[in-house]
């Protein structure tokens, strides 16, 4: 008798060429309805219904060069993008709920100054509120090289995390949770592609990728107050042959 969850999306956008750049603005409204929500009736007794809903509102601004920027024997394309996102949900994350069926759903926690059951906690409405991206893609045909530089900046993120503390409530131990915020994340990725001289119907190539070139420590939001970081500098070397 369960309904099938669905999502409606509305989008309005406009693009225009001006000042040697292609500009575009887009607005997206996304509505999730009849989403599955779990209710705790009693110990080891759960009920599902379709009262869940979620909403997302996204603004996107993008710009790119209409023609390559030429310097010497190189040609560079510039791409810029900025997203601002607001997301809300009436219920906790579905996947997390499934993983916690036999653990903490019926237990009490202390959060935002009051005791509540884990299953009744506020929805995780946090997200990265904004993201800015810049891509510089440079071709150097004389040397059969292509170099891509990708810079991404993501705004601060706030969410619920366990403090490792506990309080007594109704004869049980209630874990203490609080809101934590991690700062903005900045990453610079680099990719260098080199095409070997042709030796037949195809050509060989060598690609070098470097993620997080600056080896910056970018914190990740976790369900605990322990500090966890995104991966540091990472190298990838690819050798191949194209026909």
């Amino acid at each position: 008798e369960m309904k099938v969850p669905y999502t409606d999306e509305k989008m309005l956008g406009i693009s225009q060429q001006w000042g040697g750049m292609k500009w575009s603005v887009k607005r997206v409204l996304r509505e999730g309805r009849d989403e599955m929500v779990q209710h705790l009736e009693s110990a080891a007794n759960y009920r599902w219904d379709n009262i869940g809903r979620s909403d997302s509102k996204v603004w996107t601004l993008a710009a790119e060069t209409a023609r390559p920027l030429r310097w010497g024997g190189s040609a560079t394309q510039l791409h810029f993008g900025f997203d601002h996102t607001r997301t809300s949900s009436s219920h906790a994350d579905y996947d997390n709920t499934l993983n916690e069926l036999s653990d903490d759903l019926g237990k009490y926690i202390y959060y935002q100054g009051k005791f509540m059951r884990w299953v009744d906690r506020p929805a995780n409405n946090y997200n990265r509120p904004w993201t800015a991206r810049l891509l510089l893609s440079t071709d150097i045909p004389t040397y059969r090289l292509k170099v891509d530089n990708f810079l991404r900046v993501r705004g601060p993120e706030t969410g619920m995390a366990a403090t490792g503390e506990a309080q007594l409530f109704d004869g049980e131990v209630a874990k203490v949770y609080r809101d934590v915020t991690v700062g903005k994340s900045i990453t610079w990725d680099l990719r260098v592609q080199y095409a070997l001289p042709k030796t037949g119907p195809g050509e060989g190539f060598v690609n070098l990728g470097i993620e997080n070139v600056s080896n910056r420590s970018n914190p990740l939001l976790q369900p605990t107050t322990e500090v966890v970081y995104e991966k540091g500098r990472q190298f990838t070397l690819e050798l191949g042959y194209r026909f």
Side-chain angles (χ1 to χ4, degrees), residues 126-175:
Y126 58 83
N127 60 281
R128 294 281 186 177
W130 58 266
T131 301
R133 304 173 305 279
L134 177 65
L135 171 64
L136 295 174
S137 183
T138 302
D139 278 309
I140 312 176
T142 303
Y143 297 99
R144 299 184 293 278
L145 279 175
K146 182 179 181 182
V147 181
D148 293 329
N149 284 280
F150 182 62
L151 178 67
R152 182 176 59 168
V153 182
R154 289 169 290 164
E157 183 178 9
T158 300
M160 173 179 156
T163 64
E165 302 173 353
Q167 295 190 22
L168 288 176
F169 177 74
D170 197 23
E172 297 182 7
V173 176
K175 296 179 182 179

Side-chain angles (χ1 to χ4, degrees), residues 8 49 58-59 61 82 90 93 99 121-122 125 134 137 143 147 154-155 157 161 167 171 181 189 191 201 220 222 240:
D8 286 337
D49 58 26
V58 184
W59 279 104
L61 169 66
F82 179 85
S90 65
D93 182 79
N99 293 332
R121 71 195 187 281
N125 294 334
L134 177 65
S137 183
Y143 297 99
V147 181
R154 289 169 290 164
E157 183 178 9
Q167 295 190 22
T181 300
D189 297 332
R191 181 177 175 84
L220 280 171
Q222 295 291 308

Side-chain angles (χ1 to χ4, degrees), residues 83-104:
D83 297 324
H84 185 276
T85 304
R86 294 184 61 185
T87 301
S88 62
S89 175
S90 65
H91 54 289
D93 182 79
Y94 175 72
D95 291 332
N96 286 344
T97 300
L98 286 180
N99 293 332
E100 293 149 1
L101 284 177
S102 59
D103 296 324
D104 296 330

